[in-house]
Amino acid sequence: MKLLAFPCSRELAAPFLARLDTSRSAALILKKQEESLRDVLSSFGIREVYALPENFYGQVSSPETGQILAGIREKPFRQAFFPLNDFCGNVALLMAALVPQVAAINPTSKEPVQVSLPQADMAWTASPRIDDRHLSRALVCQVQSRIVHRLKAFAPAIQNLAHGDRAGERPTEGLVAGYPYDCEVLARYAYASQHLHGRVLEIGCGLGLGAYLLAVLNPSIHLRAVDNDPQVIALARKLWADCDRLTFEVGQAEKLPCPASSFEAVVCFEVIEHLSQPEWLLKEADRVLVSGGRLIGSTPNSRLFPYRVNQGPVSGSPSDSPDDLRQTGIWPWHLQELDEASTLALLERAGFGNLSVGYPTFTSGINAYNAMRRSAASMGGTSGREMIALLAGLKWSVSDFAVLDKYYPCFSGFSFIFSGEKVNKEMSLWTTMKKTGWSGWQPN
């Protein structure tokens, strides 16, 4: 028997189910999903449905949830599947506590992509190049709490920017709600704070949550953050007015309002996939950097991102509005599909060398998964309440993540971090990849 979970919007449920043999399958959903998913599940012949009274998968905050999960674990489920989504660590842990074999599937990729949890412990280590363990966990958590407090204070203004077509995918309310993915977003900035110095420019700063974290964690940084939305910039200035090393300005990624050779570093997380010609951003970054200056960014991996790229109106779609595009499995705001190799090639053509990639990873989740496996081995097939108790004590914060030089199934995010330095001579892409030790990964 198979147990299926749905940490996704309704539009991804049907293509996910279409890639599976749904006979002898049951569904694990959240109660808030019942209305939107019942008819989809029924159309694929799924009648057995368990609904958890939680805000997101992996959360165990009520006795009812514990009872439901304990009952599921007594059932003869052998496999669990769920669609790849923005953050998989929480649902992967939940399913691993219930079912022996767990895998995530990309519901919209041209070729089926399946990522499976290993049947052995996940031994992870961080190389000195990307190890951020010297960051104070207490300080990171303190700054995160400060950010959440500030977001709550400005909640009405933020809500005005968080809805509708213009909101796009800017992080806004997720951190306040405690969603794990938003912690992963901030973890990229925590990583960058340990690898940058001096004058730093962020391109595409949004509301400035990450810019603020970056500036506070590294007092040596003077950060200038730009975004193309004047309303967002106006609110960011109010949100983080207490940091005198952080300024906000309206600007376009393809034509930065900055003189040449004026920064030691440029940051552009989750930006290049939004541009019709991302090489323009990279050329601008090269222009404003001093020789030897560092570029750090991130972008979704095309194999893992759960939606297709937006290449224009879809045949049969009533319009090209964001809602209509999402209903057809297209993410409205992404214009590029990139992976590690294509991203490194872009960087090299723009004049960057000493290239590397890294993977933001829920390391606390890996530790919990390993603890579950040890617990399961020691219980000899008992109810598994100890494994469920591990979920009940699980929390998410920026300090639960690290950037590693290896992809870990389900616990590494769908976006990878890329880094390069402005150099005066070209460097072969393949030489660079060999030097950094990156050899890619292959899904199951």
Side-chain angles (χ1 to χ4, degrees), residues 135-307:
L135 257 181
S136 165
R137 181 183 178 93
L139 174 61
V140 173
C141 292
Q142 180 186 46
V143 179
Q144 180 176 350
S145 296
R146 195 184 309 169
I147 291 172
V148 170
H149 177 76
R150 201 75 54 85
L151 293 176
K152 288 179 179 179
F154 283 82
I158 291 173
Q159 287 173 357
N160 290 335
L161 298 174
H163 303 289
D165 293 356
R166 69 183 302 276
E169 58 182 47
R170 289 188 180 95
T172 49
E173 300 166 308
L175 200 64
V176 174
Y179 291 125
Y181 174 68
D182 293 82
C183 295
E184 181 188 312
V185 169
L186 282 188
R188 300 167 192 160
Y189 290 88
Y191 161 77
S193 74
Q194 302 303 291
H195 296 270
L196 305 179
H197 69 279
R199 299 162 298 173
V200 179
L201 173 70
E202 182 183 7
I203 304 171
C205 64
L207 285 174
L209 286 68
Y212 181 75
L213 183 82
L214 177 58
V216 173
L217 291 182
N218 189 334
S220 74
I221 285 175
H222 286 75
L223 180 59
R224 184 176 178 182
V226 302
D227 195 276
N228 64 359
D229 190 324
Q231 285 186 263
V232 168
I233 288 295
L235 182 54
R237 287 170 177 161
K238 296 176 181 178
L239 278 165
W240 322 114
D242 63 319
C243 185
D244 58 6
R245 291 178 292 101
L246 176 58
T247 60
F248 293 93
E249 184 175 350
V250 177
Q252 298 289 334
E254 302 93 332
K255 192 174 182 180
L256 297 170
C258 311
S261 303
S262 54
F263 295 97
E264 277 74 39
V266 170
V267 174
C268 57
F269 291 132
E270 307 298 285
V271 176
I272 63 173
E273 66 275 6
H274 294 264
L275 305 176
S276 59
Q277 296 191 336
E279 60 270 17
W280 289 358
L281 179 152
L282 298 177
K283 288 179 180 179
E284 276 291 272
D286 180 77
R287 181 183 66 82
V288 302
L289 281 170
V290 300
S291 180
R294 178 176 289 274
L295 170 69
I296 294 182
S298 68
T299 192
N301 190 321
S302 57
R303 294 188 297 273
L304 302 177
F305 193 71
Y307 288 84

